[in-house]
Amino acid sequence: MNPNFFYQPEAQFCADFIPYYENGVYHLFYLRDFRGDSAYGEGIPWYQVETKDFVHFEDQGEMLPKGTSEEQDLYVFTGSVIKAKGQYHIFYTGHNPHFGEKGLPVQGILHAVSDDLHHWVKRKEWVMYANPQYYEKDDFRDPFVYFSPETGCYHMLLVCRKKGGAISDGFTALYSSKDLEHWTDQGALWDPGLYHTHECPDLFQMGDWWYLIYSEYTDRWVTHYVMAKDLKGPWHIPEDDQFDGRAFYAAKSASDGENRYLFGWITTRQEGKDQGNWMWGGCLGVHRLVQRSDGTLACQMPDSVRKAFEEKQRLTAPLSLCREGGKIRKPLFTAPMLPCMLSATVTFASGTQRFGVTLYHDVVADKGYQFVFYPSQNKVEFAGITAPIRNDGLFRPLSLQPDTPISIQLIQDGEVCLLYVDGETALSCRMCEPMGHDFSFFAVDGSVTITEAQLSVKD
């Protein structure tokens, strides 16, 4: 059993979680990255981990092994799981970069079946390729399969690119089938002309709205969504169409019938350095999705995760920070070695330039990490203290109003840190090179009051 909040197999990494819920259990299939393991060799398999609460995890081992260098699925890339026709089905991407040298499609859609979600048989005779007359044959992947009672058909969403198109000619394609065997191209479901590809599509309905989730494989590497009242569109891009920042990617969702959760991976840094490049693969991050009154989506901490923490230290009286010009900082807690959660209510006065919370602050060297709130810009950003870190894309928009309490919850487990603001905004980050131990609050050129601050550790 792995008790970490941000699941990761020991000495290895996760990417592209494919969630499936049944009978109280979330079956999280994922791409296992054997990064740096020369003994494993080239290729990627699917593994599975199970959880009931996003706190405790049980590794179920390998589900879909990688193919040989002569087979389509040397890399077993993203797909989906569906129960139909008395069996469980995985439709997945088979990727072999060596096929391009032979003039063969690098990517194809493959199929596997199971009677129990744990033992899978690849249907080696079944494969589906892009129509080379219209689509790029090497960008054809990430099938998401669902059944539509309205049409009486199965539908498949796919990552596609127009043949010979521009850099922004990626789109989400729609295919249909009566039997899961023969698929017919129905054209584009979502074709905004904005991105190179729309990776890891996911589709669901909540209330009166349909939501299409996809991850931008262009320059920002973030997960987006669009919304519509009808599957035929028109699809609407909300003002804030992201769920998290740059460090959270390839997210897909699943529901237990009451709540819906979003499963993505929190990326790692090259060489484990704060200024290192972002890398493919990391650990699991889970958000609860909630619907606002206007239909837009927000991210919250799952209740089961919040309840896993036990209070250790509490601020007994309100803390006021006030400084005209310059910065004032007040250490409140010492970071424990265990996974912990910092929560507080923060109120700032009109005219405050910025404020926030610092993590693992070394007071002598004045180095550490900080979540900085900018009232004039209506955003929160993750950054370093004096020592810069590479933080491109580590910010989220939010509405900041003076004299209005702001609720923050912050989970830290190892080098991973996840901030929630007002139960609506999420920002995932990594702290690769911590030096100190202090958790503090600060204000710059203004006034801030902190109440209900407490530090909790894993129960």
Side-chain angles (χ1 to χ4, degrees):
M1 298 290 288
N2 184 326
N4 295 329
F5 293 105
F6 306 105
Y7 173 80
Q8 178 181 331
E10 188 170 349
Q12 293 161 7
F13 302 89
C14 310
D16 295 18
F17 284 89
I18 297 98
Y20 180 82
Y21 176 84
E22 187 173 84
N23 298 328
V25 178
Y26 282 91
H27 301 265
L28 306 182
F29 299 85
Y30 67 92
L31 282 56
R32 181 171 285 195
D33 182 5
F34 289 79
R35 186 188 308 166
D37 187 349
S38 58
Y40 184 79
E42 185 181 18
I44 294 288
W46 272 31
Y47 273 62
Q48 184 190 167
V49 62
E50 293 179 354
T51 183
K52 296 180 179 179
D53 58 8
F54 318 126
V55 176
H56 302 90
F57 298 89
E58 188 169 356
D59 190 347
Q60 298 298 315
E62 187 177 66
M63 297 290 111
L64 294 179
K66 66 176 183 177
T68 69
S69 60
E70 299 301 316
E71 294 179 297
Q72 185 69 59
D73 59 352
L74 175 61
Y75 290 80
V76 184
F77 278 167
T78 305
S80 59
V81 181
I82 185 173
K83 188 175 184 180
K85 301 172 63 177
Q87 280 187 308
Y88 300 97
H89 301 258
I90 288 177
F91 287 88
Y92 66 98
T93 306
H95 177 92
N96 192 324
H98 308 295
F99 277 17
E101 303 166 2
K102 305 174 184 178
L104 301 173
V106 169
Q107 295 185 341
I109 308 305
L110 304 179
H111 187 194
V113 295
S114 171
D115 293 325
D116 60 6
L117 284 172
H118 293 94
H119 303 88
W120 294 88
V121 177
K122 296 180 180 180
R123 297 187 59 208
K124 292 184 178 292
E125 77 285 359
W126 195 95
V127 64
M128 175 178 162
Y129 292 115
N131 186 332
Q133 184 177 353
Y134 303 108
Y135 305 144
E136 291 290 348
K137 60 182 175 61
D138 297 335
D139 278 312
F140 192 71
R141 60 183 181 274
D142 301 355
F144 176 81
V145 177
Y146 64 97
F147 180 75
S148 169
E150 182 180 346
T151 64
C153 293
Y154 297 96
H155 296 280
M156 179 188 293
L157 304 184
L158 283 165
V159 173
C160 285
R161 284 180 43 74
K162 297 169 187 174
K163 184 176 180 64
I167 189 72
S168 59
D169 270 349
F171 65 97
T172 303
L174 176 66
Y175 282 67
S176 65
S177 172
K178 288 285 188 182
D179 56 9
L180 295 178
E181 293 287 332
H182 307 92
W183 293 87
T184 303
D185 185 357
Q186 301 292 340
L189 179 74
W190 168 240
D191 184 8
L194 293 173
Y195 308 114
H196 182 268
T197 47
H198 304 176
E199 292 197 312
C200 303
D202 180 46
L203 181 73
F204 64 90
Q205 187 176 25
M206 188 182 291
D208 295 331
W209 289 94
W210 284 94
Y211 300 91
L212 171 65
I213 296 175
Y214 62 98
S215 291
E216 173 194 346
Y217 183 66
T218 304
D219 57 350
R220 292 196 297 161
W221 286 64
V222 293
T223 299
H224 299 274
Y225 75 97
V226 290
M227 49 196 292
K229 287 291 185 72
D230 190 291
L231 279 174
K232 298 181 179 64
W235 292 94
H236 169 63
I237 304 175
E239 183 176 355
D240 176 16
D241 68 337
Q242 295 180 208
F243 298 104
D244 202 320
R246 169 63 180 83
F248 181 84
Y249 191 68
K252 296 168 76 73
S253 75
S255 172
D256 59 9
E258 182 176 352
N259 296 300
R260 182 166 290 273
Y261 298 93
L262 189 67
F263 304 85
W265 48 268
I266 300 173
T267 183
T268 47
R269 295 280 198 182
Q270 191 171 23
E271 298 181 348
K273 301 292 185 181
D274 284 326
Q275 295 219 42
N277 292 330
W278 299 112
M279 298 189 69
W280 186 82
C283 62
L284 173 66
V286 183
H287 302 314
R288 180 188 173 211
L289 288 179
V290 294
Q291 188 181 55
R292 300 185 183 96
S293 59
D294 64 356
T296 59
L297 298 176
C299 290
Q300 295 182 349
M301 182 187 301
D303 287 342
S304 56
V305 172
R306 178 180 51 80
K307 293 175 181 177
F309 290 96
E310 181 179 17
E311 181 183 326
K312 182 178 182 182
Q313 301 177 56
R314 174 181 284 270
L315 179 68
T316 57
L319 172 67
S320 294
L321 302 176
C322 185
R323 174 68 63 86
E324 292 185 12
K327 175 187 287 188
I328 182 170
R329 188 193 311 272
K330 176 64 177 179
L332 286 187
F333 306 115
T334 299
M337 298 300 293
L338 299 171
C340 63
M341 179 174 71
L342 175 67
S343 58
T345 299
V346 182
T347 306
F348 68 96
S350 179
T352 301
Q353 186 186 78
R354 60 184 185 271
F355 62 92
V357 57
T358 64
L359 313 170
Y360 292 96
H361 184 214
D362 183 323
V363 178
V364 176
D366 196 23
K367 292 183 179 179
Y369 306 90
Q370 56 187 347
F371 284 100
V372 188
F373 292 79
Y374 294 89
S376 64
Q377 301 178 43
N378 280 314
K379 74 172 185 177
V380 59
E381 180 181 58
F382 183 74
I385 303 172
T386 66
I389 66 171
R390 183 169 182 178
N391 69 339
D392 49 303
L394 296 185
F395 69 92
R396 294 289 290 122
L398 71 169
S399 178
L400 296 170
Q401 301 297 325
D403 304 317
T404 302
I406 301 164
S407 170
I408 66 169
Q409 294 175 309
L410 192 156
I411 303 177
Q412 176 271 323
D413 187 357
E415 67 178 32
V416 180
C417 184
L418 204 169
L419 174 71
Y420 291 98
V421 183
D422 286 337
E424 290 203 345
T425 301
L427 182 58
S428 301
C429 308
R430 281 191 182 268
M431 304 174 291
C432 298
E433 302 173 87
M435 295 181 60
H437 302 280
D438 286 342
F439 281 11
S440 310
F441 286 88
F442 69 89
V444 176
D445 196 11
S447 178
V448 171
T449 301
I450 296 96
T451 59
E452 302 175 348
Q454 66 181 53
L455 184 70
S456 305
V457 297
K458 182 181 177 296
D459 189 358

